Amino acid sequence: VAHLGHLTHSLAVSVRGVVALAGFGRGLGHLHGLADEGLDGLGDGARTALLVAAANDAADVDPVLAALGVLGLERRDLEAVETAGLLAIDGTRMEFRHPLVRSSVYQAADPAQRRAVHRALAAALGDGGEASTVRRAWHLALTVVGHDEAVATVLERAATSAGQRGAFVAAAHAWERAGRLSPDPEAT
């Protein structure tokens, strides 16, 4: 995980490509400039921080900062992303300057990089309140390759919680994912 910051050239090309496609629209030319100037100057730590921010499922900056700590990175890595103009941080909230940047960053990362940042985000969310428990369950689910009964159990608890709150669609999604992560009892 120490060298997770190798989003290097493919990340810059991906973001520039999306921005260039969208850049013909009025007002998006500035985004192209942000990608050119911002990504070229980012070091590995900042690129990893950018991916952690893109993988975060909320605007809350605290889990991102905690996940950076899990990965051995620092707040200054995220601040470099903000300085590059790709992300705005306002107190405890963060927002990408444009949703295409967020999407491009996430899609440009290889699956192992995405799993590593989701693992760090899950660790950062810890055993907080109900909302962070549900978010943690989904981040854990995104780290799994194959079957994982422990993660399926965490998702089952999230599904039960969602159902009790009346969030039946969220509960159904969690139950479905938990089922896919559980080993097939007929196969053993």
Side-chain angles (χ1 to χ4, degrees):
V1 177
H3 294 292
L4 187 64
H6 295 298
L7 294 175
T8 59
H9 183 68
S10 65
L11 174 62
V13 169
S14 178
V15 172
R16 283 190 196 111
V18 170
V19 169
L21 287 174
F24 63 85
R26 185 178 177 130
L28 291 177
H30 177 65
L31 185 58
H32 191 320
L34 289 177
D36 282 342
E37 295 169 20
L39 288 174
D40 289 341
L42 292 181
D44 287 347
R47 288 175 188 262
T48 300
L50 182 60
L51 178 57
V52 172
N56 188 35
D57 58 337
D60 184 11
V61 74
D62 290 334
V64 173
L65 293 172
L68 293 179
V70 169
L71 294 170
L73 300 173
E74 299 177 11
R75 174 185 302 263
R76 66 186 161 106
D77 294 306
L78 187 62
E79 290 169 348
V81 174
E82 182 182 30
T83 300
L86 298 169
L87 184 71
I89 301 172
D90 183 14
T92 62
R93 315 265 312 150
M94 65 176 189
E95 182 178 349
F96 277 82
R97 293 290 185 190
H98 195 282
L100 289 176
V101 172
R102 179 184 204 149
S103 176
S104 294
V105 166
Y106 190 79
Q107 293 306 316
D110 69 48
Q113 292 169 320
R114 289 194 296 264
R115 285 191 294 274
V117 299
H118 282 294
R119 195 172 297 110
L121 283 163
L125 288 165
D127 295 324
E130 184 176 335
S132 70
T133 299
V134 171
R135 290 177 60 204
R136 180 178 178 272
W138 281 106
H139 283 295
L140 283 174
L142 291 167
T143 69
V144 176
V145 175
H147 296 102
D148 188 320
E149 188 61 38
V151 174
T153 300
V154 172
L155 271 171
E156 288 171 4
R157 285 194 297 263
T160 300
S161 173
Q164 290 170 344
R165 289 190 324 273
F168 300 116
V169 173
H173 286 296
W175 281 116
E176 187 271 334
R177 180 69 170 142
R180 285 191 290 139
L181 292 178
S182 295
D184 183 0
E186 310 247 341
T188 56

